[in-house]
């Protein structure tokens, strides 16, 4: 039958689990959970690893094994992806019936000039895609048992942001992600930053061809990002911001400023 293996515990930041046959061959692996079809009477080995976020933290973990019904259906959590160039969208697949064993999946985008997969684990039911160019394409997901799901992606150009212009990202923004087009009037060094945040944020800067130039997580205070980049006058840059965790609640604001070099530092004691 189908069995699910998962790591449960307290104060655990990263979890990974593997299932092997008696001869040591890897059957399946995954972050936090994985599933395998096992034969009754045979021996299998399960191994897990867990890390804490900070070195001085203590944690406890255990491996949970559950028998599951096999999945008979699979769908992507959005009926259509409609966004703007530079935006980062998180997608996930949901298996049915409820409570069944999830499967390992492969993600594929039909036209990678329109969008590309930014990050995912090989066996993950979640992925993040970057909307790359204006147009439309499809993303296709295939599970180990041959279940498939497809969603259309439609991308339009990003709105423009001016120097020193504040933009507020509402709590209801898609996946907490936004993107803007920036065309500097002067060549030089700039910073793209978040502020007034109620959540952890992450920022990216891309060139006109959506090549990533820089990114940042927490260089600012209170989990804000500060991304520095060198820009050429008249050229187009795409600035993207998102919540570090799409499930987080809260709004935030973003702005582009000229980078100011420190010229004189004085210390008083």
């Amino acid at each position: 039958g189908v069995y699910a293996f998962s790591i449960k515990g307290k104060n655990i930041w990263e979890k990974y689990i593997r299932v092997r046959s008696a001869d040591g061959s890897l059957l399946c692996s995954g972050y936090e959970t994985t599933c395998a079809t096992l034969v009754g009477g045979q021996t299998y080995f399960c191994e897990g690893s867990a890390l804490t976020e900070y070195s001085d933290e203590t944690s406890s973990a255990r491996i949970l094994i559950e028998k599951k019904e096999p999945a008979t259906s699979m769908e992507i959590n959005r009926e259509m992806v409609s966004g703007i160039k530079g935006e980062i969208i998180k997608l996930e697949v949901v298996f049915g019936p409820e409570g069944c064993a999830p499967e390992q999946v492969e993600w594929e985008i039909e036209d990678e000039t329109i969008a590309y997969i930014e990050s995912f684990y090989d066996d993950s039911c979640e992925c993040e895609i970057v909307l790359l160019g204006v147009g439309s394409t499809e993303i296709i997901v295939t599970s180990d048992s041959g279940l498939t799901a497809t969603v259309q992606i439609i991308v339009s150009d990003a709105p423009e942001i001016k120097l020193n212009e504040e933009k507020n990202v509402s709590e209801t923004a898609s996946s907490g992600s936004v993107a803007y087009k920036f065309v500097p009037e002067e060549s030089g060094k700039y910073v793209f930053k978040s502020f007034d945040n109620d959540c952890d944020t992450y920022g990216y800067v891309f060139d006109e061809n959506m090549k990533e130039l820089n990114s940042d997580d927490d260089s600012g205070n209170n989990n804000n990002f500060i991304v520095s980049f060198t820009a050429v006058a008249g050229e187009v840059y795409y600035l993207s911001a998102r919540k570090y965790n799409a499930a987080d609640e809260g709004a935030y604001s973003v702005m582009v400023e000229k980078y100011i070099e420190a010229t004189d530092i004085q210390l008083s004691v």
Side-chain angles (χ1 to χ4, degrees):
V2 179
Y3 290 82
F5 300 80
S6 57
I7 296 181
K8 305 293 182 181
K10 183 180 179 182
N11 295 332
I12 298 175
W13 178 53
E14 185 173 296
K15 296 167 274 189
Y16 198 81
I17 191 165
R18 302 175 184 85
V19 179
R20 301 183 186 274
S21 60
D23 64 1
S25 301
L26 182 65
L27 297 179
C28 61
S29 61
Y31 286 83
E32 189 169 349
T33 185
T34 189
C35 294
T37 300
L38 308 181
V39 178
Q42 294 193 11
T43 300
Y44 300 90
F45 298 96
C46 179
E47 59 189 43
S49 60
L51 299 175
T52 60
E53 185 171 5
Y54 303 103
S55 59
D56 58 350
E57 282 187 332
T58 58
S59 65
S60 60
R62 70 185 189 280
I63 293 176
L64 179 65
I65 304 174
E66 300 175 285
K67 196 170 189 302
K68 296 280 189 177
E69 292 297 321
T72 57
S73 65
M74 179 182 72
E75 61 182 23
I76 299 174
N77 66 327
R78 295 177 65 159
E79 294 182 358
M80 182 180 71
V81 174
S82 178
I84 56 179
K85 183 175 178 178
E87 191 175 0
I88 299 172
I89 303 292
K90 184 176 181 179
L91 299 175
E92 61 180 293
V93 294
V94 179
F95 290 94
E98 185 177 353
C100 69
E103 299 183 18
Q104 297 182 357
V105 299
E106 291 186 1
W107 298 84
E108 180 184 2
I109 292 180
E110 192 173 67
D111 186 348
E112 293 188 338
T113 66
I114 303 298
Y116 71 91
I117 296 172
E118 165 69 10
S119 63
F120 69 99
Y121 299 122
D122 290 341
D123 54 358
S124 179
C125 294
E126 300 178 349
C127 82
E128 289 183 343
I129 62 172
V130 176
L131 305 187
L132 182 63
V134 176
S136 63
T137 185
E138 289 185 337
I139 185 166
I140 304 149
V141 187
T142 306
S143 75
D144 279 352
S145 68
L147 298 172
T148 61
T150 303
V151 162
Q152 185 181 24
I153 300 171
I154 300 176
V155 184
S156 55
D157 204 6
E160 190 168 352
I161 186 172
K162 299 291 188 181
L163 186 66
N164 299 322
E165 178 185 9
E166 294 185 15
K167 296 282 190 178
N168 180 259
V169 183
S170 71
E171 188 172 331
T172 57
S174 174
S175 300
S177 171
V178 292
Y180 301 99
K181 179 167 61 175
F182 176 62
V183 184
E185 295 181 358
E186 299 179 2
S187 298
K189 196 169 183 179
Y190 293 82
V191 293
F192 175 49
K193 68 177 187 178
S194 65
F195 58 99
D196 290 343
N197 62 321
D198 297 320
C199 55
D200 192 359
T201 58
Y202 204 105
Y204 305 80
V205 175
F206 303 91
D207 67 11
E208 186 173 13
N209 298 314
M210 293 304 297
K211 177 183 177 182
E212 184 178 319
L213 302 179
N214 201 3
S215 63
D216 182 68
D217 182 11
D218 292 332
S219 289
N221 295 326
N222 193 32
N223 294 323
N224 282 296
F225 66 78
I226 300 177
V227 190
S228 62
F229 63 104
T230 301
V232 177
E235 294 193 359
V236 176
Y237 299 87
Y238 287 91
L239 315 179
S240 179
R242 66 174 176 85
K243 298 176 183 178
Y244 188 84
N245 184 343
D248 285 349
E249 296 182 354
Y252 61 97
S253 298
V254 296
M255 176 188 288
V256 186
E257 296 178 328
K258 287 293 293 287
Y259 181 86
I260 300 175
E261 295 278 2
T263 57
D264 187 23
I265 300 176
Q266 295 182 349
L267 297 177
S268 60
V269 293

